[in-house]
């Protein structure tokens, strides 16, 4: 059996297939910019063999010497027919037609794209969408996206926590350019370590996604593509200031070192040193912090040899101070004078990607991904000390080919991960040191059938051997069927497995007076067993015209069933207990979303989401705390006509309504420290106006939580933080209230 698996994994490398032709389609414009044209149709004349360009304007097509005429078309642009006499990459610029209609302009500028053709349920968020809000880091990039929920993890650290399908970020594989990044020690704060201006696009996948990216994903995948030195602006600066006295500065410098080498230097700094206590509870509404983040990015491109490579060097220094307003770390650290917290993180990363496409056989390609990171966090929360060192190594080799023709694509390869954790704690009831090493080696094979017109399916399997989790198989399956025009019906099932880093992922437990207990001792990691879950999903996407304008509606349902889960139990207000699941735990998620181009330049996106998330706790089956059953989302955006001199107005507003959320039990506390069974509903409104003065310069003004919604008492027992009932984890809404900001962007093209 083992030899058969190896044969299946290696056989595609030995297999032959037909030629392919690739290229990029651009929009011709007067600004001499290479603007990729997404959604253009490219097909061989008098055949049914075609493709649609992706968000970067790229396409791939089967090629044979019998094909001579390549047709490129897009509504509102002049259709071109190219004569192809040799197999080489194509770059072509489409000219706008004289009667360019308004529907085409709106479609072409959609900031969030959903594919009607892919097997996975994936949406691509472009940089235009990220600019609709004050996207200062990746954790703040999802405010205008209905598929991702964003909330604060606690009342002191200012950490934003994201959820997908009712599950928190540890169950989401978060990657940078398909290299897993936000994991392990960086799970709590890692999203804030990726500046928004560094991000070119984000791909959000519901369901576990591809086996190529590993076995840890359960609820979904989020991949951030970074800007590239060859396509980013030569110089870019973004300055941001908020009414909370938060200040940020981003600068990009890109240059060509030689014909094949380019480099970029990306600098990010943010600071907030003003103390705020709007609700007068004696605690800071938001932490004080300073962050310096630097990335040096190198790109090598050699189209003649089919090579492209990226090398990234990153360094981060992040410092946070939280707690009582009068806390002074110089005199009060680890004392009972005042309750305070400091979280200091230093992190460095080195990553490299190499892509090779055989110039003679362009349907064969090889990709190599490697990354090494060192993460050191020193922190304390009141009298609780928590420190973690995490060194990580990741390597992935991927081979792509086709079988017989381009309808049958395969990916296969090998991956390796190494993680060393060293955690130091000074917390009652816990061991002072937890140290472990995890390593795994895996092999994967993925087959994709795609006839473009009706059916697209992806079936993947990976086999991994992990020193603590054992040897196991991870299956993933996704399918898309198009029963009629402008439709896509999808179904998927997948399995995920992961080791829970219970302290790094739940650092808010230290900002309480609860006793922390790990109740199992037979497992390999903290005495606990690995988490295992199956995810099942169905989705239906339908595009249509409504009153002559483009619209689409999406309905999806996903269920996650845990075979084992590390339960984080807050149901006793004096304790936090970690233990293996004994019984049932599941998350059901239903979402309906509609996008509509109401009139030229004006787009509306609405969504309703229902969650049913329950777990068998030691006290019985209960809804997951602080997870709303109902959520309503609406986003409107309007752009005026882009003038010849590049001037334009942009308007954007986002409304979020959250239904009631269950509080974990506080019933055994004295009445003064008890909460109700559930939270009130929460409704927030964000808005932004952008004035584009030219292709080089624009300013923006916006507000978050304009309705000034506040949770007045987010800290339980705030007047006695060293007493028995102190707790900062009952956060369900905004704490600070309204916040307004302004900024500018300047670039040299």
């Amino acid at each position: 059996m083992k030899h058969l698996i190896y044969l299946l994994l290696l056989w595609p490398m030995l297999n032959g297939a037909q030629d392919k032709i690739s290229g990029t389609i651009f929009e011709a414009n007067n600004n001499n910019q290479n603007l990729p044209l997404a959604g253009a149709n490219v097909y061989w004349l008098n055949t049914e063999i075609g493709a649609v360009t992706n968000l970067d304007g790229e396409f791939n097509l089967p090629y044979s010497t019998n094909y001579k005429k390549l047709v490129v078309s897009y509504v509102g642009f002049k259709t071109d027919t190219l004569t192809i006499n040799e197999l080489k990459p194509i770059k072509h610029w489409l000219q706008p037609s004289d009667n360019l209609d308004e529907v085409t302009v709106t479609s072409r500028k959609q900031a969030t794209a959903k594919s009607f053709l892919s097997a996975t349920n994936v949406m691509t968020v472009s940089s235009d969408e990220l600019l609709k809000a004050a996207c200062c880091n990746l954790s703040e990039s999802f405010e205008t996206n209905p598929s991702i929920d964003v909330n604060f993890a606690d009342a002191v650290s200012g950490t934003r926590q994201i959820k997908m399908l009712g599950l928190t970020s540890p169950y989401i594989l978060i990657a940078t350019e398909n290299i897993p990044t936000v994991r392990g020690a960086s799970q709590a704060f890692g999203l804030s370590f990726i500046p928004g201006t560094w991000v070119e696009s984000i791909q959000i996948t519901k369901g576990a996604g591809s086996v190529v990216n590993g076995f840890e994903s359960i609820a979904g995948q989020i991949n951030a593509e970074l800007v590239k030195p060859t396509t980013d602006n030569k110089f870019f600066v973004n300055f941001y200031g908020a009414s909370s006295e938060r200040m940020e500065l981003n600068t990009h410098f890109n240059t060509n070192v030689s014909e094949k080498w380019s480099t970029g230097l990306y600098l990010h700094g943010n600071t907030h040193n003003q103390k705020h206590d709007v609700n007068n509870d004696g605690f800071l509404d938001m932490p004080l912090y300073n962050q310096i983040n630097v990335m040096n990015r190198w790109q090598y491109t050699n189209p003649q040899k089919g090579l492209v490579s990226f090398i990234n060097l990153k360094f981060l220094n992040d410092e946070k101070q939280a707690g009582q307003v009068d806390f002074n770390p110089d005199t009060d650290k680890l004392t009972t004078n005042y309750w305070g917290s400091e979280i200091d993180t230093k992190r460095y990363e080195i990553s490299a990607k190499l892509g090779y496409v055989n110039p003679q056989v362009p349907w064969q390609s090889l990709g190599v991904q490697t990354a090494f990171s060192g993460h050191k966090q020193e922190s304390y929360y009141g009298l609780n000390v928590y420190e973690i060192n995490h060194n990580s190594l990741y390597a992935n080799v991927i081979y792509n080919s086709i079988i017989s023709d381009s309808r049958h694509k395969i990916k296969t390869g090998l991956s390796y991960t190494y993680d060393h954790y060293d955690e130091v704690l000074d917390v009652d009831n816990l061991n002072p040191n937890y140290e472990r090493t995890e390593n795994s080696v895996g092999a994967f094979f993925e087959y994709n059938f795609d006839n473009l017109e009706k059916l697209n399916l992806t079936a993947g399997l990976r086999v991994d051997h992990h020193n603590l989790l054992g040897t196991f198989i991870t299956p993933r399956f996704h399918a898309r069927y198009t029963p009629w025009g402008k439709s896509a019906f999808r179904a998927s099932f997948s399995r995920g497995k992961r080791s829970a880093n219970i302290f790094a992922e739940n650092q808010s437990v230290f900002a309480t007076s609860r006793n922390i207990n790990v109740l199992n001792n037979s497992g390999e990691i903290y005495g606990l067993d690995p988490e295992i879950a199956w995810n099942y999903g169905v989705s239906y996407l339908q595009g249509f015209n409504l009153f002559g304008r483009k619209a689409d509606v999406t309905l999806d349902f996903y269920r996650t069933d845990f075979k084992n889960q590390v339960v984080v139990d807050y149901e006793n207000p004096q304790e936090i207990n970690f233990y293996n699941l004994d019984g049932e735990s599941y998350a059901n998620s239903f979402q309906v979303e509609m996008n509509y181009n109401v009139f030229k330049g004006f787009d509306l996106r609405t969504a309703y989401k229902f969650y049913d998330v329950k777990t068998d706790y030691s006290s019985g089956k209960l809804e997951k705390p602080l997870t709303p059953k109902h959520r309503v989302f609406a986003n409107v955006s309007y752009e005026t006509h882009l003038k010849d001199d590049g001037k334009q107005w942009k308007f954007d507003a986002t409304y979020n309504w959250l239904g009631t959320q269950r509080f974990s039990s506080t019933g055994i506390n004295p009445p003064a420290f008890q909460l109700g069974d559930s939270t009130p509903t929460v409704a927030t409104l964000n808005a932004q106006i952008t004035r584009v003065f030219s292709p080089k310069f624009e300013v923006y003004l916006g507000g978050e939580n304009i309705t000034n919604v506040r949770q007045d008492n987010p800290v339980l027992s705030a007047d006695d933080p060293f007493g028995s009932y102190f707790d900062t984890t009952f956060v369900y809404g905004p704490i600070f209230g309204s916040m307004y900001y302004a900024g500018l962007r300047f670039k040299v093209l």
Side-chain angles (χ1 to χ4, degrees):
M1 180 64 182
K2 180 168 67 175
H3 297 294
L4 177 60
I5 292 174
Y6 291 153
L7 181 61
L8 288 173
L9 293 171
L10 297 174
W11 173 73
M13 299 184 183
L14 309 174
N15 192 55
Q18 68 184 67
D19 290 343
K20 290 180 68 178
I21 192 168
S22 61
T24 309
I25 306 302
F26 299 95
E27 172 192 347
N29 59 84
N30 297 326
N31 298 322
N32 296 320
Q33 292 179 282
N34 289 333
L35 299 177
L37 195 57
N41 296 304
V42 184
Y43 59 94
W44 293 110
L45 185 65
N46 298 324
T47 75
E48 296 183 356
I49 301 173
V52 178
T53 57
N54 63 17
L55 197 67
D56 297 319
E58 300 168 343
F59 70 90
N60 285 283
L61 274 178
Y63 171 81
S64 78
T65 55
N66 297 325
Y67 303 147
K68 296 296 184 183
K69 301 294 184 180
L70 188 67
V71 181
V72 184
S73 68
Y74 194 92
V75 179
F77 288 76
K78 296 178 181 178
T79 299
D80 289 339
T81 302
L82 313 180
T83 300
I84 306 300
N85 293 317
E86 57 181 322
L87 187 62
K88 64 178 183 180
I90 294 170
K91 285 188 176 182
H92 185 71
W93 283 258
L94 276 186
Q95 297 287 338
S97 63
D98 296 332
N99 57 347
L100 179 64
D101 66 33
E102 57 194 47
V103 175
T104 301
V105 173
T106 301
S107 173
R108 186 161 44 87
K109 292 188 175 181
Q110 276 191 338
T112 300
K114 294 182 178 180
S115 173
F116 284 86
L117 301 176
S118 70
T120 53
N121 187 4
V122 59
M123 67 186 72
T124 301
V125 180
S126 71
S127 57
D128 290 338
E129 181 73 20
L130 302 181
L131 296 179
K132 289 183 177 181
C135 173
C136 298
N137 59 60
L138 195 60
S139 71
E140 300 167 320
S141 300
F142 304 105
E143 297 288 352
T144 62
N145 189 292
S147 295
I148 305 294
D149 303 317
V150 184
N151 197 13
F152 289 100
D154 56 65
V156 296
S157 70
T159 307
R160 292 189 187 234
Q161 176 180 264
I162 67 169
K163 296 180 181 179
M164 182 189 293
L165 307 184
L167 298 173
T168 53
S169 58
Y171 300 107
I172 307 167
L173 191 150
I174 303 174
T176 303
E177 298 189 319
N178 290 310
I179 296 176
T181 305
V182 182
R183 56 186 299 274
S186 67
Q187 189 64 250
F189 308 110
L191 286 171
S192 66
F193 298 161
I194 304 176
T197 65
W198 294 7
V199 178
E200 181 181 74
S201 64
I202 301 173
Q203 293 80 45
I204 302 172
T205 303
K206 289 187 175 182
S210 172
V211 294
V212 174
N213 301 117
F215 56 82
E216 294 181 328
S217 173
I218 290 176
Q221 296 187 5
I222 296 175
N223 178 58
E225 286 291 327
L226 303 182
V227 294
K228 300 170 178 59
T230 56
T231 55
D232 191 26
N233 302 295
K234 293 181 180 178
F235 173 73
F236 172 82
V237 61
N238 175 49
F239 179 76
Y240 165 97
S243 58
S244 62
E245 300 190 42
R246 170 182 177 176
M247 309 290 284
E248 298 214 4
L249 179 66
N250 294 277
T251 57
H252 303 183
F253 303 88
N254 294 286
T255 186
N256 295 326
V257 178
S258 66
E259 181 182 357
K260 296 181 175 62
W261 281 96
S262 301
T263 188
L265 181 63
Y266 306 88
L267 306 175
H268 168 86
N270 67 64
T271 183
H272 175 248
N273 291 306
Q274 180 63 37
K275 295 183 176 182
H276 297 281
D277 182 16
V278 177
N279 57 11
N280 296 313
D281 65 354
F283 275 75
L284 296 175
D285 296 329
M286 58 184 70
L288 311 179
Y289 53 78
N290 294 283
Q291 184 186 113
I292 297 294
N293 207 337
V294 182
M295 177 174 68
N296 182 209
R297 185 160 162 85
W298 291 82
Q299 180 176 352
Y300 174 82
T301 307
N302 189 335
Q304 289 76 26
K305 293 186 177 180
L307 290 171
V308 61
S309 180
F310 294 93
I311 302 172
N312 300 324
L313 308 172
K314 299 180 186 178
F315 174 76
L316 166 88
N317 186 63
D318 184 78
E319 299 174 347
K320 294 182 176 69
Q321 178 189 323
Q324 290 184 289
V325 175
D326 294 329
F327 173 75
N328 182 344
D330 294 333
T331 57
D332 304 327
K333 177 180 178 180
L334 297 176
T335 73
T336 57
N337 297 338
Y338 295 99
W339 195 98
S341 171
E342 287 186 292
I343 307 168
D344 296 338
T345 304
K346 289 182 173 58
R347 180 180 175 89
Y348 63 88
E349 299 177 46
I350 303 171
S351 62
K353 294 177 63 177
L354 172 65
Y356 170 73
V357 178
N358 190 332
Q360 306 302 320
V361 191
W363 39 262
Q364 288 183 348
S365 65
L366 183 69
V368 179
Q369 304 168 324
T370 60
F372 178 78
S373 63
H375 183 110
K376 182 178 182 180
Q377 176 187 321
E378 297 179 339
S379 56
Y380 61 90
Y381 301 80
L383 301 179
N384 294 328
V385 175
Y386 177 67
E387 299 179 359
I388 181 170
N389 283 295
H390 177 196
N391 293 321
S392 177
L393 175 65
Y394 173 84
N396 201 19
V397 180
I398 311 164
Y399 175 77
N400 296 267
S401 187
I402 60 178
I403 304 171
S404 176
D405 59 58
S406 62
R407 294 175 302 170
H408 307 274
K409 304 178 181 70
I410 60 96
K411 294 180 181 179
T412 189
L414 301 171
S415 62
Y416 175 77
T417 60
Y418 168 88
D419 296 284
H420 180 75
Y421 298 93
D422 187 6
E423 296 173 281
V424 177
L425 295 88
D426 186 359
V427 180
D428 290 342
N429 299 341
L430 294 177
N431 294 331
N433 184 272
Y434 290 90
E435 185 174 4
R436 75 180 191 274
T437 297
E438 295 187 37
N439 58 70
S440 67
V441 60
F444 55 85
F445 176 79
E446 186 174 85
Y447 167 77
N448 173 254
F449 173 78
D450 184 7
N451 70 355
L452 290 179
E453 185 178 351
K454 287 289 185 182
L455 182 65
N456 185 333
L457 63 86
T458 300
L461 184 73
R462 62 177 298 132
V463 180
D464 290 274
H465 176 74
H466 191 286
N467 66 317
L468 300 181
L469 308 186
T471 301
F472 53 93
I473 295 175
T474 303
R476 305 271 169 90
F477 178 84
H478 302 266
R480 182 272 304 170
Y481 176 68
T482 300
W484 45 75
K486 296 183 179 179
S487 67
F489 177 81
R490 292 183 172 90
S492 66
F493 68 84
S494 54
R495 183 181 188 267
K497 187 172 185 177
R498 63 181 298 271
S499 54
N501 292 280
I502 59 174
F503 301 127
E505 296 168 4
N506 300 279
Q507 294 193 39
S508 57
V509 302
F510 300 124
T512 73
S513 293
R514 298 172 182 245
N515 290 325
I516 303 172
N517 304 309
V518 182
L519 300 184
N520 302 92
N521 56 22
S522 60
E524 294 287 347
I525 301 171
Y526 307 105
L528 300 167
D529 296 331
E531 298 189 300
I532 303 172
W534 285 87
N535 181 276
Y536 314 90
V538 291
S539 174
Y540 179 68
L541 169 64
Q542 179 67 58
F544 57 95
N545 288 329
L546 181 63
F547 304 115
R549 311 298 302 184
K550 286 188 175 181
D552 64 71
V553 63
T554 305
L555 297 94
D556 62 46
F557 174 80
Y558 285 85
R559 178 180 176 90
T560 305
D561 271 315
F562 283 92
K563 301 308 174 186
N564 185 58
Q565 185 179 24
V566 174
V567 177
V568 186
D569 188 343
Y570 283 81
E571 298 308 313
N572 182 333
Q574 304 301 311
E575 298 177 344
I576 296 173
N577 295 311
F578 296 93
Y579 51 83
N580 292 323
L581 176 68
D582 182 12
E584 188 179 32
S585 181
Y586 62 84
N588 293 325
S589 169
F590 170 77
Q591 179 174 320
V592 56
E593 176 184 347
M594 181 177 177
N595 296 280
Y596 181 41
N597 174 228
V598 182
F599 54 84
K600 181 179 180 180
F602 186 93
D603 291 297
L604 170 67
R605 181 185 306 152
T606 60
Y608 166 74
K609 187 182 296 183
F610 172 80
Y611 285 138
D612 176 26
V613 185
K614 290 187 173 71
T615 298
D616 279 323
Y617 295 92
S618 59
S619 55
K621 180 175 289 187
L622 298 169
E623 293 179 3
K624 186 175 181 180
L626 298 178
T627 300
K629 274 193 171 183
H630 306 278
R631 178 190 174 191
V632 176
F633 169 93
N635 174 265
V636 293
S637 61
Y638 174 67
E639 296 182 1
T640 62
H641 176 70
L642 181 63
K643 297 182 179 180
D644 293 338
D645 58 3
K647 292 182 179 180
Q648 189 179 34
W649 285 94
K650 298 179 180 180
F651 304 88
D652 191 87
T654 301
Y655 172 81
N656 270 293
W657 179 86
L658 303 179
T660 59
Q661 307 170 52
R662 186 183 75 87
F663 277 130
S664 57
S665 176
T666 56
I668 66 173
N669 282 350
F673 305 111
Q674 291 181 8
L675 299 172
D677 293 333
S678 60
T679 73
T681 62
V682 176
T684 60
L685 177 66
N686 300 341
Q688 179 176 287
I689 301 172
T690 303
R691 174 56 170 168
V692 182
F693 291 97
S694 73
K696 296 183 178 180
F697 180 68
E698 61 188 58
V699 298
Y700 55 92
L701 174 69
E704 295 183 358
N705 189 18
I706 295 173
T707 51
N708 198 33
V709 175
R710 288 205 316 267
Q711 181 179 348
D712 290 330
N713 299 298
V715 180
L716 195 64
S717 186
D719 57 346
D720 186 17
F722 297 99
S724 302
Y725 308 107
F726 176 69
D727 202 319
T728 68
T729 61
F730 292 100
V731 176
Y732 62 85
I735 298 173
F736 179 68
S738 299
M739 191 272 291
Y740 297 92
Y741 61 86
L744 61 86
R745 303 182 185 100
F746 175 76
K747 52 192 173 185
V748 176
L749 306 176

